[in-house]
């Protein structure tokens, strides 16, 4: 289903996967959200998320009893491309391949250039604009947060989905770097009460859940962020939210 429309008029699409999806009202079963491509250039996140979706469907058709039980008891939401404008822009020419943000026309001149775009993963209403380290007020920065929290249609689409569905878990795929990250991101040394759960999911440096990946509190092992998706999900919606940074 369409959960939003970008500034350039592209649809932001979500797919719900569960047994009897057409008949079972949204949010009836425990729900998981898998999102990818908030950052336009992170193509591998789209493909991994797409393959996960395909795996569920293929295993259902193969009568895999474990997968069937999961789909009978839970609902899985997939937003494969959370930033369709930026994603499309990365395919236009070699010079646009590493574009990260959406295509907000910050200076209003009708073209897309350096200085345009907002980072959707710094635009959420959780510690928005907390400091200049975790996001930027400079439009040309790759972490430009925008003029206000949830100002961007891409952010509004995900927040709107959260308003409808009480997600228990959210996997927000990113790249590139082999990290397993979890809240809080807005300042260092700020684990949450759910830290034991995140630790169990992620492991530690000596025994990571995924070989050769670096797990930990996102602000400590990578860098601080504010206005970030998983902080919003965890702090404001009580969702366990996890960011695998793919290689």
């Amino acid at each position: 289903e369409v959960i939003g429309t970008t500034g350039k008029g592209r649809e932001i699409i979500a797919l719900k996967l569960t047994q009897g999806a057409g008949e079972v009202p949204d949010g009836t079963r425990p729900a998981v959200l898998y999102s990818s491509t908030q950052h336009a250039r992170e193509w591998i996140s789209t493909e991994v998320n797409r393959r996960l979706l395909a795996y569920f469907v293929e295993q259902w058709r193969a009568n895999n009893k474990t997968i069937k039980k999961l789909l009978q008891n839970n609902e899985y939401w997939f937003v494969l491309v959370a930033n369709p404008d930026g994603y499309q822009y990365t395919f236009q020419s070699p010079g646009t391949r590493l574009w990260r943000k959406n295509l907000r026309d910050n200076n209003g001149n009708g073209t897309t250039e350096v200085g345009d775009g907002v980072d959707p993963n710094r635009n959420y209403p959780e510690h928005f604009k907390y400091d200049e380290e975790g996001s930027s007020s400079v439009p040309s920065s790759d972490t430009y947060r925008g003029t206000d929290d949830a100002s961007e249609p891409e952010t509004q689409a995900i927040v709107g989905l959260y308003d409808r569905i009480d997600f228990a878990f959210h996997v927000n795929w990113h790249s590139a770097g082999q990290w397993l990250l979890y809240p809080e991101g807005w300042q260092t040394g700020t684990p949450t009460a759910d830290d034991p759960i995140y630790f169990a999911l992620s492991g530690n440096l000596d025994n990571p859940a995924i070989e050769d990946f670096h797990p930990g509190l996102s602000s400590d092992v990578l860098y601080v962020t504010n206005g970030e998706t998983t902080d919003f999900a965890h702090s404001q919606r009580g969702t366990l939210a996890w960011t695998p940074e793919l290689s």
Side-chain angles (χ1 to χ4, degrees):
E1 62 184 74
V2 177
I3 60 171
T5 305
T6 69
K8 298 293 184 182
R10 292 187 174 89
E11 294 177 338
I12 303 169
I13 297 171
L15 185 146
K16 180 180 75 170
L17 190 63
T18 191
Q19 179 173 299
E23 293 77 39
V24 177
D26 296 349
T28 301
R29 295 165 176 161
V32 176
L33 175 59
Y34 295 100
S35 58
S36 46
T37 334
Q38 280 192 307
H39 293 145
R41 63 196 180 198
E42 297 174 7
W43 293 358
I44 189 65
S45 71
T46 316
E47 183 63 7
V48 166
N49 208 10
R50 186 197 66 79
R51 291 188 189 199
L52 178 62
L53 169 59
Y55 174 81
F56 272 110
V57 174
E58 290 162 1
Q59 292 301 305
W60 171 274
R61 290 173 175 164
N63 202 30
N64 180 317
K65 288 181 172 55
T66 299
I67 297 300
K68 286 206 141 185
K69 186 175 181 180
L70 287 173
L71 291 173
Q72 287 163 355
N73 295 315
N74 305 282
E75 60 185 51
Y76 299 91
W77 288 79
F78 291 84
V79 179
L80 298 184
V81 182
N83 177 8
D85 284 350
Y87 184 57
Q88 181 63 33
Y89 191 61
T90 63
F91 289 93
Q92 290 188 201
S93 70
T96 64
R97 172 63 185 90
L98 294 181
W99 188 266
R100 171 183 163 105
K101 300 183 284 184
N102 69 5
L103 296 189
R104 167 75 69 182
D105 186 4
N106 290 328
N107 59 13
N109 68 353
T111 64
T112 300
E113 57 200 3
V114 174
D116 285 330
V118 171
D119 182 347
N121 205 36
R122 300 295 185 276
N123 188 240
Y124 280 78
E126 174 57 33
H127 281 88
F128 177 80
K129 200 169 63 175
Y130 179 74
D131 60 27
E132 288 293 311
E133 183 180 1
S135 66
S136 177
S137 61
V138 179
S140 60
S141 169
D142 266 350
T143 59
Y144 175 55
R145 65 177 78 99
T147 56
D148 203 357
D149 62 85
S151 62
E152 304 310 295
E154 296 83 4
T155 313
Q156 293 164 17
I158 299 296
V159 171
L161 191 56
Y162 264 93
D163 289 341
R164 291 171 43 208
I165 310 296
D166 183 19
F167 289 108
F169 190 44
H170 182 173
V171 177
N172 192 34
W173 302 103
H174 279 268
S175 71
Q178 296 179 189
W179 308 89
L180 301 173
L181 307 174
Y182 46 87
E184 297 277 336
W186 62 277
Q187 70 178 6
T188 59
T190 312
T192 70
D194 290 318
D195 197 67
I197 300 174
Y198 289 125
F199 184 88
L201 279 168
S202 309
N204 57 30
L205 278 175
D206 295 326
N207 187 26
I210 302 174
E211 187 177 358
D212 295 328
F213 275 62
H214 186 154
L217 199 68
S218 63
S219 53
D220 289 352
V221 303
L222 189 55
Y223 45 62
V224 295
T225 58
N226 51 61
E228 190 269 339
T229 311
T230 59
D231 275 12
F232 160 79
H234 187 275
S235 296
Q236 296 198 16
R237 301 305 171 98
T239 303
L240 290 170
W242 199 50
T243 302
E245 286 263 359
L246 300 160
S247 62

